[in-house]
Amino acid sequence: MSLCDDTLLCNFPKCRTKLNGFAWVTACSHVFCDQHGSGEFSRSPAICPACSSALSGKLDIVRTELSPSEEYKAMVLAGLRPDIVLDISARALAFWSYQVHQEHMYQEYSLSRAESQLKQMEKLLNQQSQSRELELSAMRGEIASLKKVMEEYKRKYSEVSERLMERNRQYQKLQGLYDSLRLRNMVVGAGERDTSQPGHHDFHTGVARQATPQRSPQFLSMGPDVDSRFFSCLEADGAKTFFQFSSPAREKGQLFIKKH
């Protein structure tokens, strides 16, 4: 509230509203709105909420009308001597001046408090900014080191990839050699099997070979005491034929022939 203001403010710390209608005025030069004055001064003993002064006198607390009627203005000081009127007016002006001075001090206190809070906030902001800068610099260093590590891994990956490709080429070459050797072994094995069979075809020379002809089986007479006849077939190279392994009875017949 400035000096040109014509409205007082409630001195209750948590109120600070402009006064209108009725107000509670104390002997310690404080004024309160009707709501807080009614609540605070209804208790006994009454204590000023602004300065904690005891208000035990009969006229230490007065509920007054801030906008009195013309009839009240005409009669409130009527019949008093001029010195009393001047004394009352001086006290009323002193009350107003005190309220203006208190409001000015309150505004200065609020301003200094706000400036102190602002300085604290600026200091805190600077500290946080410095810490963030340190964190950012540390993160930049970490990113640079990670980039170096990543480049090293890329280089190793490239080397390993090249080695793997070289191993794959070697493997493909060995696989081709292995397949060719296996095919050659298969062909040689097939040729050996063909040479063991009659009338086979030589794979390397291309000449058809004829197997040694076998003699047709001959019937041998066993004499008057033997009723059965046995086949006996001998190849040119002395190998046994299929008929010699047909049954055990044939082997017994051959033994009988040799004895006779």
Side-chain angles (χ1 to χ4, degrees):
M1 182 183 68
S2 63
L3 294 175
C4 60
D5 289 338
D6 57 354
T7 304
L8 297 175
L9 300 177
C10 178
N11 296 158
F12 195 80
K14 295 182 180 180
C15 183
R16 307 290 301 168
T17 58
K18 292 183 178 182
L19 300 177
N20 54 13
F22 290 90
W24 293 78
V25 181
T26 63
C28 56
S29 299
H30 292 108
V31 62
F32 303 93
C33 63
D34 195 21
Q35 178 182 357
H36 289 97
S38 301
E40 293 294 330
F41 300 136
S42 61
R43 294 186 292 268
S44 182
I47 303 296
C48 178
C51 62
S52 301
S53 299
L55 304 173
S56 58
K58 182 179 181 180
L59 296 177
D60 288 347
I61 303 172
V62 176
R63 184 174 183 266
T64 183
E65 186 176 1
L66 299 178
S67 299
S69 61
E70 294 297 328
E71 291 83 3
Y72 178 81
K73 295 177 184 178
M75 298 301 297
V76 66
L77 296 178
L80 299 178
R81 297 194 307 271
D83 57 340
I84 298 176
V85 173
L86 291 176
D87 186 26
I88 294 173
S89 299
R91 294 190 181 194
L93 291 175
F95 177 85
W96 188 271
S97 298
Y98 177 77
Q99 284 293 315
V100 172
H101 178 68
Q102 289 296 321
E103 183 64 23
H104 181 70
M105 291 181 63
Y106 178 79
Q107 294 296 338
E108 287 183 350
Y109 168 75
S110 299
L111 179 61
S112 63
R113 185 177 179 182
E115 289 177 350
S116 177
Q117 291 179 353
L118 179 60
K119 290 180 180 179
Q120 291 179 358
M121 294 297 294
E122 289 179 350
K123 184 178 179 181
L124 181 61
L125 180 61
N126 291 331
Q127 292 177 355
Q128 291 181 352
S129 178
Q130 292 177 359
S131 64
R132 295 296 181 272
E133 288 295 332
L134 293 175
E135 290 178 0
L136 286 175
S137 61
M139 291 178 68
R140 291 191 186 99
E142 185 176 359
I143 290 172
S145 62
L146 289 175
K147 284 183 178 180
K148 292 181 180 179
V149 173
M150 186 176 66
E151 292 297 331
E152 183 67 19
Y153 278 122
K154 285 183 178 180
R155 185 182 63 80
K156 291 182 178 179
Y157 174 75
S158 178
E159 293 178 357
V160 172
S161 298
E162 291 178 359
R163 291 178 183 177
L164 180 60
M165 293 175 64
E166 182 64 24
R167 294 294 176 84
N168 286 333
R169 287 192 291 269
Q170 294 178 1
Y171 172 76
Q172 295 295 334
K173 185 177 180 180
L174 292 175
Q175 185 68 30
L177 292 175
Y178 170 74
D179 292 339
S180 62
L181 290 175
R182 186 178 63 176
L183 181 60
R184 185 180 299 174
N185 291 333
M186 291 174 62
V187 170
V188 171
E192 292 178 354
R193 286 194 300 271
D194 291 339
T195 56
S196 64
Q197 295 178 1
H200 73 280
H201 185 275
D202 194 341
F203 180 79
H204 297 285
T205 60
V207 179
R209 296 181 181 178
Q210 298 295 330
T212 303
Q214 298 179 355
R215 291 179 298 177
S216 59
Q218 298 176 359
F219 294 100
L220 300 178
S221 300
M222 304 305 294
D225 296 335
V226 180
D227 297 333
S228 61
R229 290 180 300 174
F230 297 91
F231 290 102
S232 175
C233 179
L234 298 177
E235 295 180 351
D237 55 357
K240 294 182 180 180
T241 60
F242 172 77
F243 299 99
Q244 292 175 306
F245 296 95
S246 59
S247 64
R250 186 175 301 277
E251 294 178 357
K252 292 180 181 180
Q254 291 178 357
L255 292 176
F256 180 79
I257 294 171
K258 290 179 179 180
K259 289 179 180 181
H260 293 78

mmCIF file of all heavy atoms in Angstrom, residues 65 67-78:
data_model
loop_
_atom_site.group_PDB
_atom_site.id
_atom_site.type_symbol
_atom_site.label_atom_id
_atom_site.label_comp_id
_atom_site.label_asym_id
_atom_site.label_seq_id
_atom_site.Cartn_x
_atom_site.Cartn_y
_atom_site.Cartn_z
ATOM 1 N N GLU A 65 -16.795 1.023 11.511
ATOM 2 C CA GLU A 65 -17.278 1.043 10.134
ATOM 3 C C GLU A 65 -16.360 1.926 9.300
ATOM 4 O O GLU A 65 -16.117 3.086 9.630
ATOM 5 C CB GLU A 65 -18.711 1.582 10.091
ATOM 6 C CG GLU A 65 -19.346 1.495 8.730
ATOM 7 C CD GLU A 65 -20.796 1.955 8.725
ATOM 8 O OE1 GLU A 65 -21.288 2.364 9.798
ATOM 9 O OE2 GLU A 65 -21.439 1.906 7.659
ATOM 10 N N SER A 67 -16.748 2.995 6.177
ATOM 11 C CA SER A 67 -17.462 3.992 5.367
ATOM 12 C C SER A 67 -18.708 4.437 6.137
ATOM 13 O O SER A 67 -19.838 4.000 5.853
ATOM 14 C CB SER A 67 -17.847 3.408 4.003
ATOM 15 O OG SER A 67 -16.690 3.024 3.282
ATOM 16 N N PRO A 68 -18.509 5.294 7.144
ATOM 17 C CA PRO A 68 -19.661 5.696 7.971
ATOM 18 C C PRO A 68 -20.621 6.599 7.201
ATOM 19 O O PRO A 68 -20.257 7.203 6.186
ATOM 20 C CB PRO A 68 -19.003 6.432 9.128
ATOM 21 C CG PRO A 68 -17.724 6.943 8.590
ATOM 22 C CD PRO A 68 -17.275 5.952 7.562
ATOM 23 N N SER A 69 -21.804 6.697 7.724
ATOM 24 C CA SER A 69 -22.829 7.536 7.099
ATOM 25 C C SER A 69 -22.565 9.002 7.415
ATOM 26 O O SER A 69 -21.759 9.348 8.280
ATOM 27 C CB SER A 69 -24.211 7.133 7.595
ATOM 28 O OG SER A 69 -24.309 7.318 9.003
ATOM 29 N N GLU A 70 -23.250 9.881 6.696
ATOM 30 C CA GLU A 70 -23.092 11.311 6.911
ATOM 31 C C GLU A 70 -23.581 11.708 8.282
ATOM 32 O O GLU A 70 -23.017 12.615 8.927
ATOM 33 C CB GLU A 70 -23.848 12.078 5.827
ATOM 34 C CG GLU A 70 -23.292 11.889 4.422
ATOM 35 C CD GLU A 70 -21.867 12.412 4.274
ATOM 36 O OE1 GLU A 70 -21.524 13.403 4.966
ATOM 37 O OE2 GLU A 70 -21.090 11.834 3.477
ATOM 38 N N GLU A 71 -24.612 11.122 8.790
ATOM 39 C CA GLU A 71 -25.118 11.430 10.117
ATOM 40 C C GLU A 71 -24.080 11.101 11.179
ATOM 41 O O GLU A 71 -23.875 11.848 12.141
ATOM 42 C CB GLU A 71 -26.408 10.658 10.377
ATOM 43 C CG GLU A 71 -27.601 11.110 9.544
ATOM 44 C CD GLU A 71 -27.578 10.466 8.150
ATOM 45 O OE1 GLU A 71 -26.656 9.644 7.883
ATOM 46 O OE2 GLU A 71 -28.456 10.798 7.328
ATOM 47 N N TYR A 72 -23.349 9.955 10.996
ATOM 48 C CA TYR A 72 -22.336 9.583 11.970
ATOM 49 C C TYR A 72 -21.182 10.585 11.942
ATOM 50 O O TYR A 72 -20.643 10.977 12.978
ATOM 51 C CB TYR A 72 -21.834 8.178 11.654
ATOM 52 C CG TYR A 72 -20.741 7.697 12.579
ATOM 53 C CD1 TYR A 72 -21.046 7.181 13.832
ATOM 54 C CD2 TYR A 72 -19.396 7.775 12.187
ATOM 55 C CE1 TYR A 72 -20.037 6.762 14.691
ATOM 56 C CE2 TYR A 72 -18.393 7.336 13.026
ATOM 57 C CZ TYR A 72 -18.710 6.827 14.276
ATOM 58 O OH TYR A 72 -17.725 6.425 15.130
ATOM 59 N N LYS A 73 -20.772 10.981 10.734
ATOM 60 C CA LYS A 73 -19.711 11.969 10.633
ATOM 61 C C LYS A 73 -20.077 13.289 11.292
ATOM 62 O O LYS A 73 -19.236 13.972 11.892
ATOM 63 C CB LYS A 73 -19.361 12.217 9.172
ATOM 64 C CG LYS A 73 -18.758 11.027 8.434
ATOM 65 C CD LYS A 73 -18.517 11.389 6.973
ATOM 66 C CE LYS A 73 -17.996 10.187 6.184
ATOM 67 N NZ LYS A 73 -17.794 10.523 4.749
ATOM 68 N N ALA A 74 -21.339 13.665 11.146
ATOM 69 C CA ALA A 74 -21.781 14.946 11.704
ATOM 70 C C ALA A 74 -21.865 14.907 13.225
ATOM 71 O O ALA A 74 -21.672 15.927 13.897
ATOM 72 C CB ALA A 74 -23.128 15.332 11.112
ATOM 73 N N MET A 75 -22.077 13.767 13.820
ATOM 74 C CA MET A 75 -22.326 13.700 15.249
ATOM 75 C C MET A 75 -21.173 13.115 16.062
ATOM 76 O O MET A 75 -21.133 13.308 17.275
ATOM 77 C CB MET A 75 -23.576 12.862 15.494
ATOM 78 C CG MET A 75 -24.816 13.448 14.878
ATOM 79 S SD MET A 75 -25.184 15.103 15.505
ATOM 80 C CE MET A 75 -25.476 14.757 17.234
ATOM 81 N N VAL A 76 -20.184 12.396 15.439
ATOM 82 C CA VAL A 76 -19.194 11.688 16.227
ATOM 83 C C VAL A 76 -18.266 12.630 16.984
ATOM 84 O O VAL A 76 -17.859 12.339 18.111
ATOM 85 C CB VAL A 76 -18.378 10.741 15.321
ATOM 86 C CG1 VAL A 76 -17.548 11.524 14.314
ATOM 87 C CG2 VAL A 76 -17.499 9.825 16.158
ATOM 88 N N LEU A 77 -17.935 13.780 16.416
ATOM 89 C CA LEU A 77 -17.056 14.739 17.082
ATOM 90 C C LEU A 77 -17.789 16.019 17.498
ATOM 91 O O LEU A 77 -17.136 16.999 17.919
ATOM 92 C CB LEU A 77 -15.893 15.112 16.164
ATOM 93 C CG LEU A 77 -14.933 13.968 15.790
ATOM 94 C CD1 LEU A 77 -13.857 14.469 14.833
ATOM 95 C CD2 LEU A 77 -14.288 13.365 17.031
ATOM 96 N N ALA A 78 -19.044 15.991 17.373
ATOM 97 C CA ALA A 78 -19.806 17.197 17.711
ATOM 98 C C ALA A 78 -19.748 17.444 19.217
ATOM 99 O O ALA A 78 -19.839 16.519 20.021
ATOM 100 C CB ALA A 78 -21.245 17.043 17.260
#
